[in-house]
Amino acid sequence: MSRLLLLHTSHITCFHRQTLTSFLSNSKPHPSLSSLQFHHHRFSLSLFVSPSSPSPSLPLRTFSVRAFDSSETKSKEEEEEEEEEAEKSGNEEGKTKKINSSESSSVKDSEYPSGEFQFEEFNWWRKFTVKLKMLTALPWERVRKGTVLTMKIRGQISDQLRSRFSSGLSLPQICENIIKAAYDPRISGIYLHIETLSCGWGKVEEIRRHIFDFKKSGKFIVAYVPACREKEYYLACACEEIYAPSSAYFSLFGLTVQASFLRGVFDNVGIEPEVQRFGKYKSAGDQLIRKTMSNENCEMLTALLENIYGNWLDKVSSTKGKTREDLENFINDGVYQVERLKAEGWITNIRYDDEVISMLKEKLGLPKDKQVPMIDYRKYSGVRKWTLGLSGGKDQIAVIRASGSISRVRSPLSVSGSGIVGEQFIEKIRTVRESKRYKAAIIRIDSPGGDALASDLMWREIRLLAASKPVIASMSDVAASGGYYMAMAAGTIVAENLTLTGSIGVVTGRFNLGKLYEKIGFNKEVLSRGKYAELLAADQRPLRPDEAELFAKSAQNAYMQFRDKAAFSRSMPVDKMEEVAQGRVWTGKDAASRGLVDAIGGLSRAVAIAKLKANIPQDRQVTLVELSRPSPTLPEVLSGIGNTLVGVDSTLKELLQELTNSEGVQARMDGIMFQRLEGYSYANPIFALIKDYMSSL
C-alpha cells in the first residue's frame, strides 16, 4: 500500500520503522499524488507526480471559474468595470464581489469585517419570550436566579464538540457557555479555576477573547489560579480579579523552546539514518542525523520564541496597565512569592477557594448562612441557546470541524472522534454542497497533518464546495501540512496570531541497520529483480550511489511540486513562495504578512467574513450548524471516559515501545511525531530488541 504522510513543525518528525518521511508544511502539496511504499521496517518518500492542468470547475482562492481556465478569464477592463459599479452602488453586495474577485490576494486584513462581539441588551419583548422559554425549559436547563457559572480550565482542550458523556474540555463549548452566560439573566457572573494547560496558544487566545466579550455584559468574572505559568496567567489576567492561595505555584520565569536529537543514541546502537531534505529550515531530519541544533533551525525557533514571548509581554502588560519594561523586569527577577505578586498588582489578593466563594457571596448580597448557587461547565453545556433567545436567524452557515491527525479510512481499533477520517469528512462536505439550506461553510482546522492521499481527496471536495458557496478556513492551534492542505482550498484563511503555520518543505529517509544487525547477530538477505528494487528493502546496507541519487531526486521533485502548488493556491509567484517556504514554520501573524494567511482572528471573525461573502448583512443573526456533533460510544456512556487522545512522550523508550506494538495509523504533535501505517500487520522484531536494550540503560 502506498501512502504519503504530511506532518508539521520543525521539531516534529514523522518516523516509521526504519524509514522516515515528513512533509512539514502549512501550505500545500500537489493535486496528483503518487505515494511512497511502506514495507516492513522501511519508510520511503511519497512523490508528487506532475499535476494535471487544474479543472475549470475548481476554484482557487476566489473559486471563480476563470481562476482555473484562462480561456474563460475576464479581461482586465471587465474586472475594472465591475469594481467601479460595485463602488458606485456602495452596497454590501458590491463590496463582497470585490473581495471575491481574482485580486483577493491583495485584500488586507483590515478590509475584512472584524467579527467583534457586541453585547446588546434584549428589548422588552425578547426578555418576555426568554422568560416564557425558561418556564417551559427542560429540567436540566433550569437554573436558579443569581447563579454563578464555574469552569475549571486545565489540561487538554479539544477543538471538537463533545457528547455529554465525554470527559475533558471542548473549546467550542467553553466559548458557547461564556456567551450564553453573558445573556442569561439567571447567571450573575463566572468563577474560573485556571490550572496547568496542555493546549496551544491559539485556543488560549480564543478563550481570552471570549472573556473580554463576556465583560461587556457588565457581569463579573473572577479567576482562581493555584498553579500558574505564562499561559495560565495570559488567560487569568483577562478576568476582572485574580486570586491565588498563599501556597500557589507561580512560575512566571519566561518561555523556552527545545529540540532533542537522537543521533548519539543511534550511533551507540548501530543505526545509521540516511536522510534527504529540501528546505534549509526543514529541521525534522535533524533529530535523526544531528547531535546539535543547526543554525537555520536555531534561527527559526528563535524567531518563533521571540514572536510568542513578545506577544505575551505586550498583551499582559497592556491588560494589567503596566509597561512592557515593568513586566520584563518582573520576569527577570525570578519572582515566585505570591505576596510580591499581590504587592506589585499582578494578582488582586491572596485567598483560598472558600474565601473567594465567601467574597462572591458578599458580591451577590447573600446572607452568610446561604450557599452561593453554582452551576458547573458540564451541566450548563446542556442549556440550549434557544432557551436564552440566542438561536440565531434563518440564514445558516455550516461549521465542519477537523481536528487531529489525518487518515483516509477509520481503523477498526481507532477511537471515534480521535482524528480526521477522510471519507467521513468528505461525506460532510458533500452534504453541505448538495444542500441549499447553507449559505456558506466554515472549515475549522486543528491538525498537524497526516495521510496525503486523504488530504488531497478532502482538498478536492472543499474546492468543489467552494465553487458553489463561500468557504472560510479557520485555524486553531495548528494547521500544518495536511491541515493546511485542507485550508488552502478555502477562499479565505483565518488564523490566530500564534497559530503554527508554514513549514513548506520535504524530508525523507531510511535507516541502515547493518551495524546493529552485526552487533546482535542478525542476518538478512534480499533477492530482487529490478535495478532499484532494493532501494527500500535492503536496510542491512547503505544506499548505493545510484540509489542515493534517485532518493535525492525524488525528494527534490516532491519539494518542487509541493512549493509550486503552494504558490498556485495562494496566487503567488513561485520565487516569492520559495522565500517563505524552505521548511520554515511561521506564526499566524507572520504568515499573514507573507501571504500564507488572509486574516487574523478566531471563529467569530470567520463567521463575519462568511456573512460578507454570502451577502448576509453583518447585523443579521445567522445560525451556525455544527456538522461534527459527536455521538457517544458505549464505553463513554458506561464510564464517562470520553474520546481522549493518548499523549505520546518524545523519549526514545516510549517511541520504540509504540513502534514495537503499533498497528494502524497514528500521529502526534508533541515531541516526535510518527505515523502508524494502516494495514501494517506486524511489527519489526529488531525494534523490540532495541527497546529492550534501551530499557536496560
Side-chain angles (χ1 to χ4, degrees):
M1 172 178 288
S2 59
R3 176 181 295 272
L4 171 64
L5 306 177
L6 298 181
L7 302 177
H8 155 269
T9 84
S10 59
H11 48 282
I12 292 174
T13 302
C14 172
F15 189 112
H16 183 65
R17 304 300 187 257
Q18 277 95 330
T19 55
L20 153 85
T21 263
S22 178
F23 280 75
L24 298 140
S25 138
N26 208 327
S27 272
K28 27 249 151 186
H30 265 275
S32 252
L33 304 175
S34 174
S35 318
L36 297 201
Q37 305 294 326
F38 292 89
H39 297 285
H40 299 217
H41 32 273
R42 61 186 186 270
F43 196 170
S44 62
L45 166 68
S46 294
L47 306 178
F48 288 114
V49 301
S50 299
S52 56
S53 57
S55 169
S57 65
L58 297 181
L60 190 55
R61 298 183 59 205
T62 63
F63 307 110
S64 59
V65 171
R66 55 195 167 87
F68 293 88
D69 189 351
S70 59
S71 65
E72 298 186 23
T73 301
K74 294 183 180 179
S75 67
K76 185 175 181 180
E77 291 76 11
E78 289 176 318
E79 291 180 4
E80 290 176 350
E81 287 177 7
E82 285 187 358
E83 291 183 5
E84 287 176 4
E85 290 177 4
E87 290 174 358
K88 288 179 183 179
S89 65
N91 58 23
E92 200 162 86
E93 182 177 357
K95 183 179 178 182
T96 303
K97 286 181 179 178
K98 184 174 180 179
I99 289 183
N100 282 341
S101 74
S102 62
E103 302 298 323
S104 66
S105 59
S106 64
V107 175
K108 297 179 180 179
D109 179 286
S110 59
E111 295 181 42
Y112 289 110
S114 67
E116 183 179 356
F117 175 80
Q118 299 292 335
F119 181 80
E120 297 180 2
E121 288 283 353
F122 286 176
N123 57 33
W124 70 270
W125 174 249
R126 288 191 70 180
K127 288 181 180 179
F128 176 72
T129 56
V130 168
K131 287 182 179 180
L132 287 179
K133 289 178 180 180
M134 288 179 178
L135 289 174
T136 59
L138 298 170
W140 54 83
E141 293 186 282
R142 294 177 183 174
V143 180
R144 288 176 56 187
K145 188 172 180 61
T147 294
V148 175
L149 171 61
T150 63
M151 290 195 287
K152 293 184 179 180
I153 310 296
R154 64 186 177 195
Q156 294 186 356
I157 300 177
S158 171
D159 206 72
Q160 290 279 24
L161 290 169
R162 292 187 181 274
S163 72
R164 68 176 63 182
F165 299 101
S166 300
S167 64
L169 297 172
S170 163
L171 178 67
Q173 286 164 315
I174 290 173
C175 296
E176 182 179 285
N177 279 353
I178 293 174
I179 295 301
K180 288 189 300 185
Y183 283 99
D184 194 335
R186 304 166 299 178
I187 299 294
S188 297
I190 297 178
Y191 182 32
L192 290 181
H193 277 241
I194 303 173
E195 296 190 45
T196 305
L197 295 169
S198 301
C199 62
W201 288 96
K203 293 188 180 76
V204 174
E205 189 69 60
E206 184 83 17
I207 298 173
R208 192 173 190 267
R209 184 183 298 114
H210 276 76
I211 290 174
F212 282 116
D213 291 344
F214 176 82
K215 290 163 70 174
K216 295 176 182 178
S217 68
K219 300 178 180 181
F220 68 83
I221 180 165
V222 175
Y224 179 72
V225 283
C228 184
R229 298 193 65 180
E230 287 74 19
K231 197 174 290 183
E232 293 75 34
Y233 191 78
Y234 187 71
L235 197 58
C237 71
C239 300
E240 293 174 357
E241 301 172 6
I242 305 174
Y243 296 96
S246 57
S247 56
Y249 295 130
F250 265 83
S251 305
L252 301 180
F253 302 144
L255 302 176
T256 63
V257 63
Q258 50 189 303
S260 56
F261 302 93
L262 298 174
R263 183 56 189 263
V265 176
F266 288 152
D267 288 347
N268 287 334
V269 299
I271 297 176
E272 181 186 357
E274 296 178 302
V275 175
Q276 289 289 341
R277 66 175 187 175
F278 288 89
K280 63 181 180 180
Y281 296 101
K282 176 57 63 178
S283 58
D286 286 359
Q287 288 182 308
L288 304 177
I289 63 175
R290 294 181 62 92
K291 295 182 179 180
T292 59
M293 191 180 295
S294 67
N295 292 334
E296 292 81 8
N297 192 21
C298 182
E299 175 191 346
M300 178 181 68
L301 294 180
T302 299
L304 290 173
L305 181 60
E306 289 180 349
N307 211 323
I308 295 170
Y309 188 53
N311 179 81
W312 188 86
L313 290 172
D314 291 339
K315 295 285 185 70
V316 171
S317 59
S318 174
T319 302
K320 299 303 293 182
K322 309 275 188 178
T323 66
R324 177 172 171 146
E325 291 72 22
D326 290 338
L327 182 53
E328 278 192 285
N329 292 336
F330 182 81
I331 294 297
N332 293 332
D333 282 346
V335 177
Y336 59 88
Q337 303 96 329
V338 180
E339 292 78 11
R340 185 171 169 186
L341 287 163
K342 175 193 172 183
E344 298 192 18
W346 299 107
I347 65 174
T348 307
N349 212 333
I350 302 173
R351 292 286 186 272
Y352 286 100
D353 181 40
D354 62 289
E355 293 176 309
V356 177
I357 293 175
S358 296
M359 293 176 59
L360 295 180
K361 188 184 297 184
E362 294 177 9
K363 190 184 289 285
L364 295 171
L366 295 174
K368 291 184 178 181
D369 59 339
K370 294 289 186 181
Q371 296 293 322
V372 177
M374 293 186 173
I375 184 171
D376 64 18
Y377 155 87
R378 189 171 303 282
K379 185 175 181 181
Y380 196 66
S381 296
V383 177
R384 295 169 297 169
K385 291 195 291 184
W386 176 87
T387 305
L388 304 173
L390 301 173
S391 54
K394 294 182 179 179
D395 295 316
Q396 296 185 5
I397 295 177
V399 178
I400 306 175
R401 297 184 181 272
S403 299
S405 60
I406 299 171
S407 59
R408 188 167 57 88
V409 297
R410 181 168 299 287
S411 166
L413 300 178
S414 61
V415 180
S416 174
S418 62
I420 305 167
V421 180
E423 61 182 9
Q424 295 178 356
F425 183 87
I426 287 172
E427 287 179 8
K428 295 184 178 72
I429 291 293
R430 290 177 176 172
T431 298
V432 175
R433 187 175 81 237
E434 295 166 2
S435 174
K436 296 181 180 180
R437 59 188 289 205
Y438 304 114
K439 298 295 183 67
I442 295 173
I443 312 296
R444 176 71 175 180
I445 302 170
D446 186 28
S447 173
D451 183 276
L453 174 57
S455 301
D456 184 62
L457 296 176
M458 292 187 290
W459 169 78
R460 165 76 179 184
E461 293 296 331
I462 296 172
R463 292 259 300 265
L464 291 173
L465 171 63
S468 61
K469 58 192 66 178
V471 178
I472 313 299
S474 172
M475 298 177 176
S476 185
D477 285 340
V478 58
S481 193
Y484 194 91
Y485 203 151
M486 299 165 64
M488 69 185 184
T492 306
I493 299 176
V494 182
E496 294 287 0
N497 263 320
L498 301 181
T499 296
L500 294 180
T501 68
S503 192
I504 305 169
V506 170
V507 60
T508 183
R510 47 156 264 165
F511 290 115
N512 170 21
L513 303 181
K515 292 181 180 179
L516 173 63
Y517 288 166
E518 184 178 348
K519 282 185 178 182
I520 62 177
F522 180 83
N523 183 44
K524 179 178 180 179
E525 297 182 3
V526 179
L527 302 177
S528 63
R529 295 293 183 273
K531 183 178 180 180
Y532 297 108
E534 296 184 15
L535 180 66
L536 303 173
D539 56 9
Q540 79 281 10
R541 62 170 177 82
L543 292 173
R544 302 190 309 262
D546 58 330
E547 291 175 326
E549 182 182 2
L550 177 63
F551 210 50
K553 285 182 177 180
S554 66
Q556 183 179 27
N557 179 67
Y559 173 68
M560 293 174 63
Q561 299 277 359
F562 201 175
R563 177 204 61 194
D564 293 351
K565 185 173 183 182
F568 174 74
S569 299
R570 295 301 297 171
S571 304
M572 188 184 298
V574 173
D575 56 348
K576 186 176 179 181
M577 176 57 69
E578 177 70 13
E579 295 175 5
V580 298
Q582 292 288 324
R584 182 156 186 167
V585 179
W586 305 98
T587 59
K589 182 180 179 181
D590 284 347
S593 67
R594 289 164 174 79
L596 298 177
V597 167
D598 298 298
I600 297 298
L603 185 63
S604 59
R605 190 165 199 196
V607 171
I609 295 173
K611 288 164 69 174
L612 172 67
K613 295 203 167 190
N615 299 324
I616 301 172
Q618 291 296 311
D619 58 354
R620 184 186 299 175
Q621 294 295 315
V622 295
T623 298
L624 300 182
V625 181
E626 293 276 1
L627 272 71
S628 304
R629 289 195 171 275
S631 53
T633 61
L634 182 59
E636 289 179 319
V637 176
L638 296 178
S639 64
I641 292 176
N643 298 331
T644 56
L645 290 176
V646 178
V648 176
D649 193 287
S650 62
T651 64
L652 182 61
K653 290 182 182 179
E654 294 199 14
L655 171 62
L656 292 172
Q657 185 171 359
E658 290 290 336
L659 289 173
T660 302
N661 301 326
S662 62
E663 289 185 343
V665 181
Q666 278 199 11
R668 293 291 181 268
M669 198 175 98
D670 297 330
I672 297 174
M673 177 178 293
F674 61 94
Q675 295 273 346
R676 291 189 223 154
L677 299 179
E678 175 197 355
Y680 192 86
S681 59
Y682 48 92
N684 186 348
I686 298 304
F687 276 99
L689 294 174
I690 300 173
K691 183 196 72 173
D692 292 339
Y693 171 79
M694 293 303 301
S695 298
S696 66
L697 296 179

